[in-house]
Amino acid sequence: MALVSINELPENILLELFTHVPAHHLVLHCRPVCSLWRDLIDLVTLWKRKCLREGFVTEDWDQPVADWKIFYFLCSLRRNLLRNPCAEEGMTSWQIDSNGGDHWRVESLPGDHGTDFPDSKVKKYFVTSFGMCLKSQLVDLKAEGYWEELLDTFRPEIEVKDWFAARADCGCAYHIRVQLVSDNYIVLASFEPPPVIIDQWNNAEWTEALLTVCHLMTIHPSSVWATDFQRSPPAEPVVGSEGPCPGSSCPSSNLGQTHQFVSWGPQTSGSSRITRELPA
């Protein structure tokens, strides 16, 4: 029996086969094989089919898409980029930048003078104390699958979400900062909304902080982003946990909850409780 080249198959059959091949293999290994494969892999039709197959769009999708291949990769990379966002692994993956009072710790929800978290799947949260408590995490975008052309040309949006709450009997201040940093740790941009001040004798309600970095500048693919969570020290020292309590956080890719969530590209999140008195 004579051997038949795969290229003798009808193009629509080849396209269907390519829809089942992982996207990175298509671009890195299949596209360079020959001009036919290159042309087929560059077709808008292929990336539309892959988006439909992965559930990124529906058959009745009517929103304009400038580049279906980039849209596919952004959708596939959309996830929480923070490690250990909900304190399930203690303080693992977090850098402790300031550890005042009785220090950072992890507790089970709802904790002292607290309330249940909105998402019942979240069981733990980060707890601050009566001294300054700061923690941060660096996310290497290149290691997470983003590449230079994507970052420099399409500048995906970064979305950062964080949940926080105070102890019912303590006032506190909640701070969050997101920085875009070059591969040699030069700060390219910093985003820091005003602190949230919570009075003593509050309802201990969980609040979601949402920060969207819309205007992403050109950055090197090995850039990292860092997020800092901090709170102000009390007027009077109080034993125990009395500062903001981050619960869940995330940077996400719309492009990352403590319960923190950072999302990068087309969506991030985390959680913590703040438990301490404000300075006079």
Side-chain angles (χ1 to χ4, degrees):
M1 180 184 292
L3 294 176
V4 177
S5 168
I6 190 174
N7 286 358
E8 294 180 33
L9 291 172
E11 289 188 1
N12 64 322
I13 300 299
L14 282 174
L15 274 177
E16 182 59 29
L17 289 174
F18 286 153
T19 62
H20 298 273
V21 177
H24 281 85
H25 286 295
L26 282 177
V27 174
L28 296 177
H29 305 299
C30 298
R31 191 176 182 276
V33 168
C34 63
S35 59
L36 173 63
W37 286 25
R38 180 199 63 206
D39 292 344
L40 289 176
I41 290 169
D42 286 346
L43 283 177
V44 168
T45 304
L46 171 64
W47 297 98
K48 279 186 177 180
R49 287 187 185 182
K50 289 184 73 66
C51 286
L52 279 167
R53 186 171 181 274
E54 297 293 336
F56 298 150
V57 297
T58 58
E59 291 284 357
D60 58 354
W61 180 273
D62 60 358
Q63 298 182 35
V65 175
D67 188 313
W68 279 93
K69 179 168 67 173
I70 295 300
F71 179 81
Y72 175 88
F73 277 105
L74 287 179
C75 290
S76 64
L77 290 168
R78 182 189 307 154
R79 66 192 186 280
N80 191 346
L81 301 180
L82 282 180
R83 301 184 186 279
N84 187 28
C86 302
E88 292 295 336
E89 301 171 33
M91 299 303 297
T92 302
S93 300
W94 291 95
Q95 176 175 306
I96 304 301
D97 301 311
S98 184
N99 210 14
D102 286 331
H103 314 307
W104 279 100
R105 66 177 187 236
V106 170
E107 293 184 357
S108 297
L109 286 159
D112 296 337
H113 305 279
T115 56
D116 289 325
F117 192 71
D119 184 345
S120 61
K121 295 191 294 292
V122 177
K123 304 299 184 183
K124 296 182 181 296
Y125 65 108
F126 300 99
V127 181
T128 62
S129 187
F130 57 83
M132 178 67 76
C133 291
L134 299 133
K135 66 182 173 67
S136 62
Q137 188 173 145
L138 296 176
V139 176
D140 186 327
L141 299 177
K142 186 176 181 180
E144 294 295 339
Y146 299 92
W147 63 95
E148 187 170 5
E149 180 188 6
L150 180 68
L151 295 175
D152 288 352
T153 304
F154 295 93
R155 304 184 183 185
E157 188 176 82
I158 302 173
E159 183 178 275
V160 181
K161 286 190 269 186
D162 190 35
W163 287 86
F164 63 92
R167 266 179 53 157
D169 59 345
C170 294
C172 59
Y174 166 83
H175 302 249
I176 182 171
R177 180 174 65 225
V178 179
Q179 293 180 324
L180 298 175
V181 189
S182 69
D183 57 342
N184 55 354
Y185 300 101
I186 296 174
V187 176
L188 303 174
S190 184
F191 306 88
E192 187 170 4
V196 177
I197 309 300
I198 302 175
D199 295 328
Q200 188 177 20
W201 307 119
N202 58 83
N203 60 8
E205 181 180 24
W206 286 97
T207 300
E208 182 183 49
L210 174 61
L211 177 62
T212 302
V213 181
C214 297
H215 305 294
L216 180 60
M217 63 182 66
T218 298
I219 57 178
H220 190 275
S222 59
S223 299
V224 295
W225 81 257
T227 178
D228 293 338
F229 301 91
Q230 67 182 34
R231 64 183 247 350
S232 305
E236 308 247 350
V238 183
V239 176
S241 60
E242 297 161 10
C245 304
S248 145
S249 35
C250 70
S252 83
S253 153
N254 255 7
L255 191 204
Q257 263 180 350
T258 18
H259 202 115
Q260 289 143 23
F261 174 81
V262 174
S263 101
W264 186 292
Q267 185 206 73
T268 318
S269 255
S271 53
S272 63
R273 183 165 296 283
I274 309 165
T275 56
R276 71 170 228 50
E277 296 188 6
L278 287 168

